[in-house]
Structure formats: C-alpha cells, structure tokens
Amino acid sequence: MRPIVFVGSNHNLLQMVDLVRLQGRELVGIIDSDYYNNTEHICGVAVVGSEETWDWGQDYEYFVATNWSPRDSVQERNRVKRVAQITQIKNQKVDCINLIHPTSIVPETVQLGQGIMIGAGAILGNDCHIGDFCQIREQSYLAHNTTLSENIIVQVKAYIGAGVTIKEQSYIGIRASIIPTESTGLVVPANSFVKSHSLYTDRKSTRLNSSHVSESRMPSSA
C-alpha cells in the first residue's frame, strides 16, 4: 500500500489522521503552500511541501484535508483553496484515498468516488451515489438512492431523505434536514448552503431555510 499525503489541513485534522491509522496506512505529512517553510508541524503532522512545488506522482495516495464552512471571509478563502486543490489533483491524475470510519454503515450497493471521508456512526442507505471529495460527517444519515455530487460537505447529524440529489460544492449544516415530499425526489442546486438545524423541502407551504453560495459572496453566519 502506498503512503498517504494530506493536501491542506484543518482544525479537525487528528480525526483524519486516526482514519488513516485505522486503515494501517502510513501518513507522510501535509503539503500546504500556506504553511510550508513557515510551520514544521500541524497537529503533530509534518509539513513536507507545497502544492506548487510538490513532485506529484504515483508513489503516494492523496487526501484533500482542507475544510471550509460558510461563515466568514477566512472560510470563503478556504473554500476557494479547497476547490483549487481538487482541480490540481484532477490535473495531476493522482489517486486519492477514501477515509471511512469502521463504525459507519456503507452497504455494498453504495457507489463511492475518491477522496471521500465518512465519519463515525454515519449511515448510508442502499444505492447511494457519493461523488469525489465529499465529506459525510459523524452520525449523519443518508437514505436510499441519495446522490451527492462532487465536493459536498454533510455536517454532523444531518438527515437526507430518500432520492435527494445534492449538486456540487454545497454545504449541509449540522442537524440540517433535507426531506422530499414527492416520489420524484428533490434536487438541491449547486453551491447551496443549507443552514444548521434547518429544514429544506420541496413542499411549497414550507419555508425553505437555505441560502445559495455565489462565487463572490457567502452567507455571513451558519
């Protein structure tokens, strides 16, 4: 098995480190242009290079560890940084590891992309489709036939009903619920921000408590 390299970092880095170790894999360190030559370690993990100068190749597998939340200008910068890192990985055509906690439930019928994180206690129903670079955080529930496009963040204890499709670059907040009321399912548009503790539904009589993230501006509070 090839060693692992993190691309970027975040405040929850140790959770990702533990998932690497649970798989019995070696973690080489972090490549991050913001910290290389400025910081030797982040959460005890060595900073070994920059995305800009790293010798990309097939000697390693990678995981994009940069996180973001729709909160402020710093997090907007992190969002842009994460998207740029994902684009670079695609251009380099390197392989990314999936970090899946052993206490999560992921049926064999679930289709997984690459660079995915699934946290402790998360439950996925049958025939879900999870796109590249998605994060499904601890104790979240995805009902059957849920589809996550690329780079979706599903926060802790979120609930996503059957047949929901969430388009790329979207963020689903803590304990948010996305519940379709029609048998045809529900589509959450790209660049959406579903606030924590909110309900997103297709029933017209229910207020949609969500916002859409644009490239130039993000909601100021979660």
Side-chain angles (χ1 to χ4, degrees), residues 85-136:
Q85 290 169 336
I86 289 171
T87 300
Q88 187 168 24
I89 280 176
K90 289 180 181 178
N91 291 338
Q92 296 292 340
K93 299 180 179 179
V94 294
D95 297 325
C96 291
I97 188 176
N98 289 337
L99 300 179
I100 301 176
H101 198 278
T103 63
S104 64
I105 298 176
V106 183
E108 292 183 357
T109 57
V110 172
Q111 296 184 24
L112 297 175
Q114 66 168 347
I116 294 165
M117 176 181 174
I118 301 178
I123 300 175
L124 279 63
N126 290 328
D127 299 310
C128 290
H129 297 251
I130 310 302
D132 295 344
F133 310 108
C134 288
Q135 291 189 18
I136 302 169

Side-chain angles (χ1 to χ4, degrees), residues 32-57:
D32 193 320
S33 58
D34 290 336
Y35 296 100
Y36 186 56
N37 286 329
N38 298 315
T39 305
E40 292 186 358
H41 299 85
I42 301 173
C43 297
V45 181
V47 179
V48 296
S50 163
E51 305 100 310
E52 300 168 357
T53 59
W54 183 255
D55 185 14
W56 298 88

Side-chain angles (χ1 to χ4, degrees), residues 6 13-14 17 21 27-30 40-48:
F6 283 164
L13 192 69
L14 290 181
V17 171
R21 290 173 177 167
L27 178 61
V28 173
I30 300 165
E40 292 186 358
H41 299 85
I42 301 173
C43 297
V45 181
V47 179
V48 296

